[in-house]
Amino acid sequence: MPKKLLYVFILIPLSIYSQKQASIFKGKTIDSTAAVKDVHIINLNTKAGTFSLENGKFQIKAKVNDTLQLSSIGYQTKKMIVKAYHFIEKENLIEVKEAIYNLDEIVYKRTNLTGFLTADIKQTPKKNYKEKAVDDLLIGIRNLDLKEIANMKVGLGEAHLIKPTKVRLPNTFEGVGFSFGVGNSNKKKKNFSDVLDEEDKIVKKIYNLLGEDFFNNDLNIKKEQHILFINYCLNKNIITVYKNNNVLKLIEILKKERVNFTKQ
């Protein structure tokens, strides 16, 4: 009984003293098997911090009711409240628990990506077989011979898309993209097929520039009609706008013509 009273009499003044003034808190970080080094200990009240040594031991200034936070890579962050009896112990053993990480399932799929964005976008796997079928159809249309396209039957709803047949008159101006026919000029002339090839290339460049999502989401045009719509807008001088790098003007024209195109 006298020993217990002596212990109480010692503890009470120590508690009162430590609550008012910081003392040295001595500790040792351990896990289930051994001491843990390089644990970061910080007093959240004073913002003072330290690290545990090779043997897990550390010292930090603290007072009763201060909060110590212990953290380390691979371990769970732990917080503890400093009590008066902690200052009596020669060494407070503090256990830190290893962190357990649950990884989501990873599905690896081999691709032929090159690191170049323009090329890799074309090789990115499609979302489903329907989109792939549409893409294959568009590729087939783009690869059609010009003569085959010229011989295709055109419906009434597509009559406005037919380019007028050019009448070649001697010694007259032949229009934009052609040379003058005055005299015996030695300048090389562009034939109608070359002009169509150039327009077709620019149509593809405009499509690649703005991207499939622009026509799908911004213009709300079906994927199989993207190229058809750009050709529909050729009479709005979009080739010149494209060559002048006026992308905003190009988008403005396409958005305006989209209304008339979808009414058909």
Side-chain angles (χ1 to χ4, degrees):
M1 184 66 181
K3 289 183 178 180
K4 290 183 179 180
L5 289 175
L6 179 61
Y7 179 79
V8 172
F9 290 145
I10 294 174
L11 181 61
I12 292 176
L14 177 61
S15 175
I16 296 173
Y17 175 77
S18 59
Q19 288 179 8
K20 295 181 179 180
Q21 185 172 344
S23 301
I24 301 298
F25 180 98
K26 297 179 181 180
K28 180 178 181 179
T29 53
I30 60 173
D31 59 14
S32 58
T33 58
V36 181
K37 66 176 181 178
D38 296 329
V39 176
H40 186 200
I41 303 97
I42 183 172
N43 187 327
L44 297 180
N45 296 84
T46 65
K47 306 305 179 184
T50 186
F51 287 90
S52 60
L53 303 176
E54 291 281 343
N55 56 9
K57 294 184 179 181
F58 70 91
Q59 294 184 3
I60 190 170
K61 282 189 175 182
K63 59 182 182 294
V64 174
N65 293 327
D66 278 359
T67 301
L68 300 183
Q69 177 176 286
L70 298 89
S71 59
S72 180
I73 297 176
Y75 291 88
Q76 299 178 19
T77 299
K78 180 174 183 176
K79 293 181 181 179
M80 61 171 292
I81 306 298
V82 177
K83 302 297 182 180
Y85 64 82
H86 286 139
F87 296 102
I88 300 175
E89 300 290 339
K90 292 182 178 180
E91 186 176 84
N92 294 282
L93 296 179
I94 306 173
E95 183 179 3
V96 290
K97 296 183 179 180
E98 294 185 8
I100 300 175
Y101 301 98
N102 295 321
L103 296 178
D104 294 333
E105 182 180 357
I106 298 175
V107 178
Y108 173 77
K109 187 174 183 179
R110 184 176 180 180
T111 61
N112 296 319
L113 300 182
T114 63
F116 296 97
L117 182 60
T118 305
D120 290 344
I121 288 176
K122 297 178 181 179
Q123 298 187 45
T124 303
K126 303 300 178 184
K127 294 181 180 179
N128 54 53
Y129 71 93
K130 293 183 180 179
E131 291 187 0
K132 184 178 185 305
V134 173
D135 285 344
D136 291 342
L137 178 61
L138 289 175
I139 292 173
I141 293 174
R142 296 190 190 110
N143 293 334
L144 283 176
D145 186 83
L146 287 174
K147 293 182 179 179
E148 294 182 15
I149 296 176
N151 294 328
M152 291 176 63
K153 294 183 179 180
V154 180
L156 294 176
E158 299 174 331
H160 64 284
L161 298 176
I162 302 177
K163 294 182 180 296
T165 304
K166 181 164 181 56
V167 179
R168 305 178 68 86
L169 300 176
N171 299 325
T172 58
F173 178 65
E174 295 186 344
V176 178
F178 294 83
S179 62
F180 288 96
V182 180
N184 296 322
S185 175
N186 293 324
K187 292 184 180 180
K188 186 178 180 181
K189 299 179 181 179
K190 286 186 177 180
N191 57 43
F192 191 58
S193 178
D194 292 336
V195 175
L196 288 178
D197 287 342
E198 182 180 359
E199 286 184 354
D200 184 60
K201 291 178 181 178
I202 293 178
V203 167
K204 292 178 181 178
K205 289 181 179 179
I206 291 175
Y207 184 75
N208 292 332
L209 172 67
L210 300 178
E212 180 182 317
D213 289 341
F214 170 78
F215 292 89
N216 280 337
N217 303 328
D218 294 10
L219 299 184
N220 195 24
I221 295 176
K222 295 179 180 179
K223 187 172 182 179
E224 59 269 25
Q225 294 182 327
H226 290 176
I227 299 300
L228 182 64
F229 170 69
I230 298 176
N231 279 285
Y232 171 84
C233 298
L234 287 180
N235 63 343
K236 297 300 179 180
N237 210 26
I238 62 173
I239 290 180
T240 302
V241 175
Y242 170 80
K243 288 182 176 180
N244 292 334
N245 294 322
N246 194 340
V247 180
L248 293 180
K249 180 65 176 179
L250 178 61
I251 292 175
E252 180 182 349
I253 294 173
L254 294 177
K255 286 186 175 180
K256 183 177 180 180
E257 291 303 312
R258 175 256 176 197
V259 178
N260 295 328
F261 179 80
T262 54
K263 287 180 179 179
Q264 299 180 43

